[in-house]
């Protein structure tokens, strides 16, 4: 390389910059800390040989007398030319930085869409709340309840009354009366005086919301036997009439054929008020004379279950 006559003379060694600061103790700055010179021009298609100090030909460079300080090493690394891959890496980092805001800006929309989807799913799975009750409906129901309670209280204090007036025939003179009253919950019992006249029937008044049940009837055994011993006597019948049918109709008869049984317990008569019924103990006799017989009816008084 040194013997090539066509080679260009080596350029003088570059002067190291001192940035206006003289070297300490008059020493020469380390040549390794200087920037690397660009390569020489190509001569005859081949790169120019490396410049060597004068008087040396292909001799290795002597080792430095002193190790290079650390701050000079950092300075030389900083002043060294960047590698070709540094610029693509920087561009990739810039592209990533440009892409990251768009990606981050997309994430909230995805989360918001997922939140909306979750909210829609939860709302669709949850049943709708019941419709509120209008105030006037509640007020009407309360008024109806109060009215029903008042009617129930009034019915519980309303008694069933039974009245029978005893008159002399044919004059119609009032001889006496039998009068009883029965509150709901009380047993019903009434003694009907036997008569030959339908006008002597007992009047039973049943108030609103109250029911009367007549289950059994009976006669006194001794009185019945004395009655049957009379000439032309047949028996004693229990007759009932109502406002819908004022005719007195027999529902049971105590006669000679049934003289061994002085009671009946399966009548099953039930009347709910407001009603007025009549009960009569009718004496069936061949001749219009003789001693009378009392007929006893039994039952119960209670509130109307269909209304309360």
């Amino acid at each position: 390389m040194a013997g090539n006559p066509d080679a260009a003379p080596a350029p003088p060694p570059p002067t190291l910059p001192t940035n206006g600061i003289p070297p300490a103790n008059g020493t020469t700055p380390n040549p390794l800390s200087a920037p690397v010179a660009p390569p020489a021009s190509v001569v005859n298609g081949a790169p120019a040989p490396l410049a060597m100090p004068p008087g040396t030909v292909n001799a290795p460079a002597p080792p430095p007398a002193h190790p290079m300080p650390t701050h000079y090493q950092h300075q030389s690394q900083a002043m060294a030319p960047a590698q070709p891959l540094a610029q693509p890496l920087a561009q990739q980092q810039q592209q990533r930085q440009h892409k990251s805001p768009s990606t981050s800006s997309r994430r909230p929309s995805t989360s918001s869409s997922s939140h909306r989807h979750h909210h829609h799913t939860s709302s669709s799975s949850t049943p709708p709340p019941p419709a509120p009750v209008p105030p006037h409906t509640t007020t009407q129901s309360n008024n109806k309840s109060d009215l029903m309670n008042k009617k129930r209280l009034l019915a519980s204090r309303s008694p069933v009354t039974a009245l029978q007036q005893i008159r002399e025939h044919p004059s119609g003179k009032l001889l006496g009366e039998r009068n009883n009253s029965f509150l709901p919950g009380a047993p019903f019992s009434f003694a009907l005086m036997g008569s030959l006249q339908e006008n002597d029937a007992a009047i039973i008044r049943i108030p609103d919301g109250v029911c009367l049940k007549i289950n059994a009837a009976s006669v006194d055994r001794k009185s019945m036997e004395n009655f049957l011993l009379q000439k032309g006597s047949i028996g004693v019948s229990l007759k009932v009439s109502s406002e819908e049918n004022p005719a007195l109709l027999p529902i049971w008869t105590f006669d000679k054929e049934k003289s061994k049984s002085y009671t009946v317990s399966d009548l099953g008569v039930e009347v709910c008020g407001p009603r007025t019924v009549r009960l009569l103990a009718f004496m069936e006799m061949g001749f219009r004379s003789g001693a009378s017989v009392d007929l006893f009816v039994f039952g119960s008084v209670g509130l109307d279950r269909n209304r309360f």
Side-chain angles (χ1 to χ4, degrees), residues 161-164 177-182 190:
T161 59
L163 173 63
Q164 184 182 21
E177 64 180 20
R178 297 178 180 181
N179 188 7
N180 296 98
S181 60
F182 309 90
F190 192 75

Side-chain angles (χ1 to χ4, degrees), residues 1 25 55 119 136 167 173 286:
M1 296 174 62
N25 300 325
H119 178 71
H136 67 276
R167 297 180 182 275
K173 181 181 178 179

